[in-house]
Amino acid sequence: MDGVHLGENLEDKDTEFTWEVKANDRTYHKQFKKKGFLCWRQKKYKSNAIHTAKYNIFSFLPLNLYEQFHRMSNLYFLFIIILQGIPEISTLPWFTLFAPLVCLFVIRATRDLVDDIGRHRSDKIINNRPCQILRGKSFLWKKWKNLCVGDVVCLSKDSIVPADLLLLASTEPSSLCYVETADIDGETNLKFRQALTVTHHELTSPKKMASFQGTVTCEEPNSRMHHFVGSLEWNSRKYPLDIGNLLLRGCKIRNTDTCYGLVIYAGLDTKIMKNCGKIHLKRTKLDLMMNKLVALIFLSLVIASLLLTVGFTFMVKQFKAKHYYMSPTHGRSDAMESFFIFWGFLILLSVMVPMAMFIIAEFIYLGNSIFINWDLNMYYEPLDMPAKARSTSLNDQLGQVQYIFSDKTGTLTQNIMTFKKCCINGCIYDSDDEHGTLRKRNPYAWNPFADGKLQFYNKELESLVQGRQDRAVQEFWRLLAICHTVMVQEKDNQLLYQAASPDEEALVTAARNFGYVFLSRTQDTITLVELGEERVYQVLAMMDFNSVRKRMSVLVRNPEGSICLYTKGADTVILERLRSKGVMEATTEEVLAAFAEQTLRTLCLAYKDVEEDAYKEWEPEHQEAALLLQNRAQALHQVYNKMEQNLQLLGATAIEDKLQDGVPETIKCLKKGNIKIWVLTGDKPETAVNIGFACQLLSENMIILEDKDINQVLERYWEDNVHQKAFKMMTHHNMALVINGEFLDQLLLSLRKEPRALVQNAVVDEVAQEPVVSALDFLQKRRISQMWRNAGPSLGTSHSADSKIRESPEVQRERAFVDLASKCQAVICCRVTPKQKALVVALVKKYQQVVTLAIGDGANDVNMIKTADIGVGLAGQEGMQAVQNSDYVLAQFCYLQRLLLVHGRWSYMRVCKFLRYFFYKTVASMMAQIWFSLVNGFSAQPLYEGWFLALFNLLYSTLPVLYIGLFEQVMLVVKYWTLLFVGAVVLSLSSYVLMTSLTQSLWMYRISPKTFPFLFADYNVLFEPCSLLLIVLNVALNVLPMLALRTIHRTVLKQRPKGEEEAPSEEVAVEPAMRHLRRGIPARRSSYAFSHREGYANLITQGTILRRQTHVDDSDGGTVCESLNPPEEDIPLQNKDSVFNPRKISILAKKRRHFFGKGSQEEVHPNTSSQTMEKQPTIHRDSETQKLPTTTSATSGKLLPSASEDEAFYSVASQYTLASQPKHTDVHSSFWKSPLWRDSASSSPSQLEVPRKQS
């Protein structure tokens, strides 16, 4: 890869291990300084206070003035004011321009100040959050801003991590700590972090933590969220550290009573703050155009003034020759007179750039922002959240958006997984309660363990479950209750499930509501309550999900003594391991295809009975593989695969990842408006692709290119002109890109200020991927070759050989990528960090010069929102960081349609008409001044009096143009606005009459004759008949032709037949020369299995995650663990039995087992015999005669040949291509690979004592 080669030549300063942190030693860190601005020295180790505001009390005035004078118009006005202050050349009073300029500065500065005050308030709230810091030998409550590097912090359940901490210990077994990272990567599922074994055993009390003198040596602060390398030196020994030992700022502690951490990075040095970016001054296209326009107008004024000055030069010579007796009055030379006249004309004509236009524009921007705030169509009643325009200067930019960059989790989706449908033994069971009428009556009332949240209900399936006669149904729900890594807790006599994935929690919850309740687990057992009967299964082996296996299996011994294997996973790996392939299997495949068409996330379920002799033969191989020190994962994979053969298919499940309301319709409408939508998410590729189809961003006829395909295209792009032509032609097809963060890391080298992380050499205990050349690899290569052949040489190139020489390879690669991506219908970027999101936006802005909009709802979207031209924050469930840094606030993604297509279009059209009208009337008035100069000897005498010039744009002609800027619409019905227009005209005329009468009155003349010299001038003119006739003719000649033109235009439009207008096609045209390469369904229909991350299987089987009986250790005067928050959990510790205790019988089970055993069974007993007799024929008849969807699976009726090993899946074709298997995509996060301690002491109970709350 080019990126790897380039990365090896870079000096990565962030990976130098120069960051030293000493525990409990603030003095040590204060002595270090680093170079700042000029000779200024600043502290190397920052405090934990953050400052995201742009200004402070000292920098506001100079910095704001600096930003104000970035506008060319302000520089122009300042230049004219300076000229007006020179008496020799001034033709207008200086205050006529100075006062409006000050008013404009005050308006804009006030707007910026209000926005920045909001940021200061947000910073203050965050910096004043409380946390417990170790002081002496006890923990005291302090504010976040008082935290420093090297401090030891105590955190309780549901606390937010205040800084980047090294986890030292926790009250969980083996010092595990569960965190939720929704504010960092948008994922709400739990992740775990683990402390080092040495700190877990040694730091068991506040007294020991106060004496802790360890030194952490690690990399400098950087923005890489999923990478950390360091070491802990303590007691003359070194211990390695990685990201699995680090708690990042912004995480939330879950399912952990208390944990302790050492501050490594604080404040602006934390990884999340390094990803937040800086506040940029956002300028609209109209602002930039106005700068150019002002320069152009000024240039034209200079030319006009020069021409008029030349006329004066000739005129003054003739005047002096003819009127020689007037020569003594002209003391200056002709050249000097011409010089002063030039500047006089420049000042006189300077009104062509009207100051009033910029002042009125600010009021128009404010008015359009108020209309957005008042729009009831963008009001979200459940949250009482209206739309809000936090920036008033970007409204017109909304109507020019061409690219939208959207987050996925919380923006497009609700991140709520719902059990939607299932297929058991070939029969589809859909919900009978689509409208929620049955849920109001609680159809699962017969089940005391039901949580009442399951939206799925099927009467027939419920009767089969209660009948207990159909083994397939029993094993289906039993599998969902056993085959998982979900952890369970009891709180307030309720079971609470916590899973590594929301999908898995939805499946276990569905089984719970149907009577198969997961109750508890130990290291080697799992306890269920099956329809009121408690059953304990012995866990013989647990084979967890990973990105290669795409399945999970659990080998258990049931209470009767028989052994059974339960497996769930992707259909592509389950179907090839079946014992037989008959009608039921083919039917299930068609059902899977139908579920995929409905964008549901599917999973196949299978089981088999294992003979005792087979298990005894397999078990030693399993133990031997588990004890290997090298290639352990590969050996275990082979052993697992040997057991997972000859399975019996049970059925499939379908889960819906709920979209926000109106998302598909909004995306479809925006795409019709030629707006391209890119999804940038930290989630897994398969999940993002599935959501792409659900929200209609992707379609079935799209060619989806992945990293390998894109690299192949980009490598050929610069080879020769033929490939460039083929590339141009290829981009005319209906394509989409799916890329990941690693690809972007190699691509965005020229935009990154810091070198790319050199993490490709990390050693990971993964299944080795052998280069197997398969038919699917051949199909993938053939697919790209087909695209090149069909493209052919048809279009010319856009880059010459000179550009190749001028541009570096990185820039060429970036340009080619943006060129390719801009031609695609959709782009999905997966596994991207917050900084990568911002770099993608910057990349498009750099090479496309388009207006970009970024929308998100979490802290991980802040950098992207700041970088885009327009930032939209959603008021979601991931905090308010995105809202506080956004330009516009919405409650739902669907409101983006109205914001852009209604308010954006209206604002853009109104501002454009306003500017056009204002320039027209100003230039028209100044043309009269130029004409007057031709008849007054080019003497630079003003045609208009000073007060008329000052008030003309500011008052006399303001209201009509202001109403256009506020109320103009595309389909405005004129008759409803006639009164408003007439009122504007009447008020304008009235203001002219009033102000003219005042400034030309005798009273004002007596007060200041020099300031008000024109006594009754307009009054005398208006009473002359010729003047009145001139006014009437002027109005008629200007109005009548335009009215006639509009009348003729409307008449022609009415007579034109409607058939002549053709509606544009919604579909993107596909070249006929291109063979239809349709992406396949199998990859998408098992997206859950592909995207599911590795769970807690290793922790469970090792006993690391499970609680044991706690013991009191008083050797150091410590006390037994207690809760940090007694008001939330008042139950004493000795009464809190562990939910993971071996052979534990639930309190709920004790109370309700009697009810289960009698009531529920007696209800279904009368119908049991009839259901048993009729069941098998019914299923067979349904499987043959039931109407199935017309779209069938690509592998329907023709299953792929069975393979004994999984190597065939290591190197395969694109997982989105027809008849192709999912390729290996390593989506493991580094924190799932943290070392799991296997010694006996590692699973010992935590002896960590929790400090009591200080009074």
Side-chain angles (χ1 to χ4, degrees):
M1 295 293 295
D2 296 338
V4 175
H5 175 71
L6 292 170
E8 291 173 354
N9 296 328
L10 295 173
E11 180 184 1
D12 194 345
K13 297 181 180 179
D14 290 340
T15 57
E16 296 177 359
F17 297 99
T18 59
W19 191 264
E20 290 189 1
V21 177
K22 284 193 175 182
N24 299 311
D25 193 349
R26 287 194 173 189
T27 306
Y28 173 78
H29 303 108
K30 288 181 180 179
Q31 63 182 345
F32 290 95
K33 304 287 184 180
K34 66 178 181 179
K35 186 177 180 181
F37 180 70
L38 297 178
C39 298
W40 184 263
R41 305 282 292 180
Q42 57 183 358
K43 293 181 180 179
K44 177 181 179 181
Y45 298 92
K46 294 182 173 63
S47 68
N48 201 44
I50 63 170
H51 305 282
T52 61
K54 187 191 299 185
Y55 312 110
N56 57 41
I57 192 172
F58 300 106
S59 65
F60 172 72
L61 187 59
L63 190 57
N64 191 262
L65 285 175
Y66 173 75
E67 292 176 352
Q68 294 272 23
F69 282 109
H70 265 67
R71 291 181 169 90
M72 189 67 68
S73 58
N74 292 339
L75 291 174
Y76 169 78
F77 292 135
L78 181 63
F79 175 68
I80 297 300
I81 289 173
I82 294 174
L83 292 181
Q84 286 182 342
I86 303 174
E88 287 79 4
I89 62 176
S90 177
T91 55
L92 294 174
W94 63 270
F95 57 82
T96 57
L97 199 58
F98 180 77
L101 183 63
V102 172
C103 179
L104 181 64
F105 279 3
V106 170
I107 292 173
R108 288 174 174 170
T110 303
R111 181 191 63 199
D112 296 338
L113 181 62
V114 170
D115 292 342
D116 209 57
I117 288 175
R119 298 188 190 100
H120 277 283
R121 289 175 178 173
S122 173
D123 292 344
K124 185 177 180 181
I125 293 173
I126 294 175
N127 291 332
N128 289 332
R129 286 176 178 171
C131 67
Q132 286 186 299
I133 306 176
L134 184 63
R135 287 288 183 270
K137 297 183 180 180
S138 61
F139 286 90
L140 302 178
W141 287 98
K142 299 289 184 181
K143 297 178 180 179
W144 277 23
K145 63 182 180 182
N146 303 129
L147 202 59
C148 294
V149 172
D151 287 348
V152 177
V153 182
C154 175
L155 300 174
S156 59
K157 184 179 178 182
D158 297 331
S159 297
I160 300 176
V161 179
D164 291 349
L165 309 177
L166 171 65
L167 181 62
L168 298 177
S170 77
T171 53
E172 293 298 303
S174 301
S175 283
L176 289 170
C177 180
Y178 300 95
V179 295
E180 181 183 281
T181 59
D183 264 356
I184 294 179
D185 55 18
E187 297 183 7
T188 56
N189 52 289
L190 294 186
K191 303 174 179 64
F192 70 85
R193 300 289 186 265
Q194 188 172 16
L196 295 176
T197 307
V198 60
T199 58
H200 163 65
H201 288 302
E202 297 295 333
L203 303 180
T204 57
S205 66
K207 182 179 179 180
K208 291 184 177 181
M209 290 184 183
S211 61
F212 175 56
Q213 297 297 325
T215 301
V216 175
T217 304
C218 61
E219 57 193 8
E220 291 284 324
N222 56 74
S223 62
R224 296 186 288 274
M225 303 292 298
H226 306 296
H227 181 251
F228 175 77
V229 177
S231 63
L232 170 65
E233 186 177 356
W234 187 30
N235 295 333
S236 302
R237 294 191 62 184
K238 283 190 176 182
Y239 306 91
L241 302 174
D242 60 15
I243 193 66
N245 308 120
L246 204 64
L247 300 177
L248 298 182
R249 178 186 175 113
C251 295
K252 188 171 287 188
I253 306 298
R254 296 293 194 191
N255 288 13
T256 304
D257 291 333
T258 310
C259 65
Y260 296 84
L262 173 68
V263 178
I264 304 297
Y265 305 123
L268 298 176
D269 286 335
T270 57
K271 290 183 177 293
I272 187 64
M273 295 305 298
K274 284 286 185 181
N275 276 276
C276 280
K278 297 180 180 180
I279 299 175
H280 303 280
L281 177 63
K282 296 187 177 183
R283 306 285 300 277
T284 66
K285 276 191 171 183
L286 282 179
D287 274 344
L288 300 177
M289 186 196 71
M290 287 297 298
N291 284 341
K292 298 177 182 178
L293 191 59
V294 168
L296 182 63
I297 292 176
F298 179 72
L299 183 62
S300 64
L301 289 182
V302 171
I303 295 174
S305 300
L306 283 173
L307 294 177
L308 292 173
T309 303
V310 171
F312 171 78
T313 303
F314 288 105
M315 187 63 69
V316 73
K317 290 181 179 180
Q318 294 178 6
F319 182 79
K320 287 183 177 181
K322 186 176 182 180
H323 305 280
Y324 58 90
Y325 52 88
M326 297 291 295
S327 298
T329 61
H330 297 275
R332 305 187 188 96
S333 64
D334 294 347
M336 185 60 66
E337 287 284 354
S338 300
F339 177 77
F340 285 123
I341 286 294
F342 168 77
W343 294 109
F345 273 121
L346 194 63
I347 295 173
L348 190 63
L349 300 178
S350 64
V351 188
M352 290 185 69
V353 182
M355 171 69 67
M357 181 183 70
F358 297 94
I359 298 176
I360 297 173
E362 293 296 327
F363 287 102
I364 291 176
Y365 285 136
L366 179 62
N368 288 323
S369 299
I370 293 175
F371 293 153
I372 292 175
N373 300 341
W374 288 351
D375 193 345
L376 292 179
N377 292 322
M378 294 194 295
Y379 171 72
Y380 189 59
E381 189 173 359
L383 294 179
D384 189 24
M385 176 66 67
K388 183 179 180 182
R390 300 183 74 248
S391 175
T392 60
S393 60
L394 301 176
N395 297 331
D396 60 282
Q397 195 93 313
L398 291 171
Q400 306 172 68
V401 171
Q402 295 170 264
Y403 280 79
I404 294 176
F405 299 90
S406 174
D407 181 36
K408 181 186 74 69
T409 307
T411 303
L412 299 178
T413 68
Q414 303 178 32
N415 205 33
I416 299 175
M417 303 298 171
T418 306
F419 190 91
K420 199 71 176 176
K421 300 178 183 181
C422 64
C423 174
I424 305 177
N425 207 17
C427 293
I428 300 177
Y429 296 98
D430 202 346
S431 179
D432 299 335
D433 189 26
E434 290 293 336
H435 302 289
T437 55
L438 294 175
R439 288 198 299 274
K440 296 178 181 178
R441 303 197 300 267
N442 190 12
Y444 299 104
W446 55 271
N447 180 3
F449 288 94
D451 61 357
K453 299 178 182 179
L454 183 64
Q455 300 180 10
F456 174 84
Y457 176 75
N458 186 280
K459 181 66 175 177
E460 179 185 357
L461 182 58
E462 181 189 38
S463 63
L464 291 175
V465 170
Q466 293 180 343
R468 306 190 186 192
Q469 300 299 318
D470 189 340
R471 188 186 176 187
V473 173
Q474 289 179 307
E475 296 294 346
F476 180 90
W477 294 111
R478 185 176 291 125
L479 186 151
L480 292 181
I482 290 178
C483 187
H484 57 79
T485 59
V486 175
M487 306 307 298
V488 62
Q489 287 185 342
E490 263 188 32
K491 185 176 181 180
D492 300 330
N493 287 340
Q494 290 290 331
L495 296 177
L496 299 179
Y497 293 145
Q498 294 291 345
S501 166
D503 306 72
E504 194 156 68
E505 183 180 353
L507 295 174
V508 178
T509 301
R512 167 185 178 175
N513 283 272
F514 273 90
Y516 287 78
V517 185
F518 166 56
L519 199 62
S520 64
R521 72 161 78 244
T522 66
Q523 183 176 349
D524 54 0
T525 65
I526 183 168
T527 304
L528 306 184
V529 175
E530 299 181 1
L531 298 175
E533 178 185 357
E534 186 168 316
R535 292 169 61 87
V536 179
Y537 293 84
Q538 181 184 359
V539 179
L540 303 177
M542 187 172 289
M543 313 166 199
D544 203 358
F545 266 109
N546 64 38
S547 59
V548 177
R549 286 170 39 79
K550 302 179 179 64
R551 62 189 181 276
M552 177 188 179
S553 299
V554 176
L555 188 65
V556 297
R557 188 188 299 275
N558 60 25
E560 290 77 21
S562 58
I563 301 175
C564 191
L565 177 73
Y566 294 103
T567 303
K568 66 179 181 182
D571 56 315
T572 51
V573 296
I574 297 296
L575 294 176
E576 70 168 7
R577 288 168 170 77
L578 298 181
R579 180 191 312 159
S580 61
K581 303 176 180 69
V583 176
M584 192 270 285
E585 286 76 13
T587 302
T588 303
E589 275 200 89
E590 295 183 355
V591 170
L592 286 167
F595 288 167
E597 291 291 339
Q598 302 170 35
T599 67
L600 300 176
R601 299 154 66 93
T602 61
L603 206 62
C604 274
L605 312 181
Y607 81 108
K608 78 169 182 178
D609 293 319
V610 180
E611 298 294 336
E612 190 71 31
D613 295 339
Y615 170 71
K616 289 181 179 179
E617 179 182 351
W618 178 84
E619 199 271 339
E621 298 178 7
H622 178 229
Q623 290 295 332
E624 181 181 356
L627 295 175
L628 290 177
L629 298 180
Q630 294 183 348
N631 299 324
R632 178 186 301 158
Q634 184 178 5
L636 284 173
H637 181 80
Q638 294 175 357
V639 172
Y640 293 162
N641 188 67
K642 183 177 179 180
M643 175 59 70
E644 295 166 332
Q645 299 294 331
N646 299 321
L647 302 175
Q648 175 65 41
L649 184 64
L650 287 173
T653 61
I655 292 178
E656 179 187 24
D657 189 356
K658 279 195 171 182
L659 297 172
Q660 288 193 8
D661 296 337
V663 167
E665 295 80 5
T666 301
I667 290 180
K668 184 178 180 181
C669 185
L670 293 174
K671 289 174 71 176
K672 284 183 179 180
N674 200 24
I675 298 176
K676 297 187 181 298
I677 301 175
W678 292 26
V679 176
L680 310 180
T681 176
D683 213 336
K684 299 161 283 293
E686 295 79 13
T687 307
V689 169
N690 194 71
I691 294 300
F693 279 95
C695 65
Q696 298 182 12
L697 184 63
L698 304 177
S699 60
E700 293 294 338
N701 63 342
M702 278 187 178
I703 303 170
I704 299 181
L705 302 182
E706 300 173 87
D707 298 346
K708 291 182 180 179
D709 305 334
I710 299 170
N711 281 326
Q712 193 172 356
V713 172
L714 297 183
E715 287 170 2
R716 294 189 178 188
Y717 180 76
W718 294 101
E719 287 181 2
D720 50 41
N721 292 340
V722 175
H723 282 109
Q724 290 188 38
K725 296 174 185 177
F727 173 84
K728 289 280 186 179
M729 187 64 187
M730 183 183 65
T731 54
H732 283 266
H733 297 283
N734 200 2
M735 297 192 308
L737 301 185
V738 177
I739 56 182
N740 59 32
E742 293 180 359
F743 174 84
L744 290 174
D745 206 21
Q746 298 162 4
L747 178 72
L748 303 173
L749 291 176
S750 70
L751 289 178
R752 293 178 66 94
K753 291 184 178 179
E754 61 183 29
R756 181 172 52 87
L758 301 177
V759 296
Q760 62 268 17
N761 297 325
V763 179
V764 180
D765 189 12
E766 278 288 326
V767 180
Q769 297 188 30
E770 300 177 3
V772 180
V773 180
S774 63
L776 299 176
D777 287 320
F778 173 75
L779 289 176
Q780 182 186 7
K781 298 179 186 298
R782 180 183 172 188
R783 180 167 67 113
I784 301 298
S785 300
Q786 174 101 19
M787 295 171 70
W788 287 110
R789 286 200 306 272
N790 287 324
S794 59
L795 293 179
T797 62
S798 60
H799 303 285
S800 63
D802 294 336
S803 65
K804 299 181 185 179
I805 298 174
R806 289 194 303 267
E807 294 181 346
S808 64
E810 295 90 349
V811 174
Q812 290 181 3
R813 186 177 176 85
E814 289 174 359
R815 187 184 298 279
F817 170 76
V818 175
D819 196 11
L820 172 64
S822 63
K823 303 298 190 302
C824 294
Q825 301 302 311
V827 177
I828 298 179
C829 303
C830 315
R831 282 296 179 202
V832 291
T833 63
K835 189 165 188 177
Q836 284 177 328
K837 290 184 177 183
L839 290 176
V840 170
V841 177
L843 187 72
V844 174
K845 290 174 64 178
K846 177 181 178 181
Y847 294 107
Q848 289 292 313
Q849 302 296 322
V850 293
V851 179
T852 58
L853 180 146
I855 180 170
D857 69 324
N860 56 325
D861 304 314
V862 169
N863 202 350
M864 173 179 68
I865 287 173
K866 290 179 179 178
T867 305
D869 296 310
I870 301 173
V872 178
L874 291 188
Q877 302 176 354
E878 299 182 15
M880 300 294 288
Q881 290 88 340
V883 169
Q884 292 162 356
N885 290 276
S886 64
D887 304 307
Y888 296 89
V889 181
L890 300 177
Q892 293 281 288
F893 181 86
C894 61
Y895 297 152
L896 192 63
Q897 175 181 341
R898 183 168 179 83
L899 181 68
L900 298 184
L901 304 184
V902 178
H903 291 283
R905 174 170 171 75
W906 284 353
S907 298
Y908 183 46
M909 180 189 62
R910 289 165 180 170
V911 171
C912 289
K913 286 189 175 183
F914 159 75
L915 294 176
R916 186 173 59 184
Y917 178 26
F918 220 104
F919 274 115
Y920 163 73
K921 71 182 184 65
T922 306
V923 171
S925 64
M926 286 298 101
M927 290 304 295
Q929 176 68 57
I930 295 176
W931 185 265
F932 179 65
S933 299
L934 300 178
V935 298
N936 67 4
F938 302 98
S939 58
Q941 293 297 318
L943 172 64
Y944 310 104
E945 60 159 323
W947 286 107
F948 179 84
L949 284 177
L951 297 175
F952 174 71
N953 286 324
L954 194 62
L955 187 61
Y956 299 160
S957 59
T958 297
L959 290 180
V961 73
L962 181 62
Y963 282 122
I964 288 178
L966 289 177
F967 301 115
E968 178 71 12
Q969 295 182 14
V970 181
M971 300 299 293
L972 182 63
V973 181
V974 178
K975 65 180 181 180
Y976 296 135
W977 294 94
T978 302
L979 183 61
L980 191 61
F981 288 152
V982 171
V985 173
V986 169
L987 287 175
S988 296
L989 292 176
S990 300
S991 63
Y992 168 73
V993 172
L994 178 64
M995 295 305 299
T996 301
S997 301
L998 182 63
T999 57
Q1000 298 181 7
S1001 64
L1002 180 62
W1003 176 62
M1004 297 300 293
Y1005 177 77
R1006 289 176 177 175
I1007 295 176
S1008 179
K1010 291 184 178 181
T1011 307
F1012 305 98
F1014 299 98
L1015 182 63
F1016 302 122
D1018 288 6
Y1019 178 81
N1020 294 330
V1021 171
L1022 291 176
F1023 276 88
E1024 290 290 334
C1026 58
S1027 299
L1028 293 177
L1029 178 61
L1030 181 63
I1031 292 175
V1032 172
L1033 291 176
N1034 215 338
V1035 171
L1037 288 175
N1038 282 279
V1039 174
L1040 292 179
M1042 184 58 65
L1043 289 178
L1045 183 63
R1046 289 187 179 182
T1047 304
I1048 295 172
H1049 181 67
R1050 289 181 181 178
T1051 305
V1052 171
L1053 284 180
K1054 288 182 179 180
Q1055 293 178 355
R1056 181 182 299 177
K1058 296 182 179 180
E1060 294 181 5
E1061 300 179 2
E1062 296 181 358
S1065 175
E1066 297 179 9
E1067 297 295 331
V1068 179
V1070 179
E1071 294 290 332
M1074 184 69 171
R1075 185 172 298 178
H1076 187 56
L1077 300 173
R1078 183 169 178 248
R1079 62 167 299 282
I1081 293 175
R1084 176 157 63 92
R1085 70 188 187 199
S1086 295
S1087 60
Y1088 163 48
F1090 298 161
S1091 62
H1092 184 77
R1093 66 171 69 250
E1094 195 166 359
Y1096 307 136
N1098 288 335
L1099 299 179
I1100 292 170
T1101 55
Q1102 296 167 18
T1104 307
I1105 201 171
L1106 305 178
R1107 292 185 181 274
R1108 308 288 179 84
Q1109 179 108 17
T1110 56
H1111 302 280
V1112 179
D1113 182 10
D1114 294 330
S1115 59
D1116 293 303
T1119 60
V1120 72
C1121 300
E1122 65 181 24
S1123 174
L1124 262 181
N1125 302 317
E1128 294 182 5
E1129 299 180 8
D1130 294 325
I1131 305 174
L1133 181 64
Q1134 58 269 23
N1135 295 333
K1136 281 183 161 182
D1137 294 333
S1138 171
V1139 295
F1140 306 125
N1141 208 14
R1143 300 294 191 273
K1144 179 187 173 188
I1145 300 178
S1146 173
I1147 301 174
L1148 294 173
K1150 288 181 179 179
K1151 290 183 178 179
R1152 300 175 181 175
R1153 187 186 303 164
H1154 180 71
F1155 172 79
F1156 246 125
K1158 293 183 179 181
S1160 62
Q1161 295 180 18
E1162 289 176 359
E1163 283 182 10
V1164 299
H1165 182 71
N1167 299 329
T1168 301
S1169 59
S1170 60
Q1171 290 176 358
T1172 305
M1173 296 173 61
E1174 296 178 4
K1175 185 185 181 325
Q1176 293 297 336
T1178 301
I1179 292 178
H1180 180 69
R1181 182 172 61 253
D1182 289 344
S1183 65
E1184 293 182 349
T1185 62
Q1186 184 178 2
K1187 185 176 181 180
L1188 294 172
T1190 57
T1191 303
T1192 60
S1193 171
T1195 57
S1196 177
K1198 183 181 178 181
L1199 297 175
L1200 295 175
S1202 176
S1204 60
E1205 300 295 334
D1206 277 346
E1207 284 82 357
F1209 292 91
Y1210 292 167
S1211 180
V1212 295
S1214 170
Q1215 62 183 10
Y1216 309 113
T1217 311
L1218 184 63
S1220 64
Q1221 302 296 345
K1223 75 173 184 180
H1224 171 68
T1225 306
D1226 187 5
V1227 294
H1228 281 131
S1229 297
S1230 55
F1231 45 78
W1232 290 106
K1233 302 168 185 175
S1234 56
L1236 304 177
W1237 312 107
R1238 293 182 176 274
D1239 55 343
S1240 58
S1242 66
S1243 58
S1244 60
S1246 175
Q1247 299 177 357
L1248 182 66
E1249 68 173 73
V1250 183
R1252 298 182 181 275
K1253 210 167 187 179
Q1254 305 259 341
S1255 58

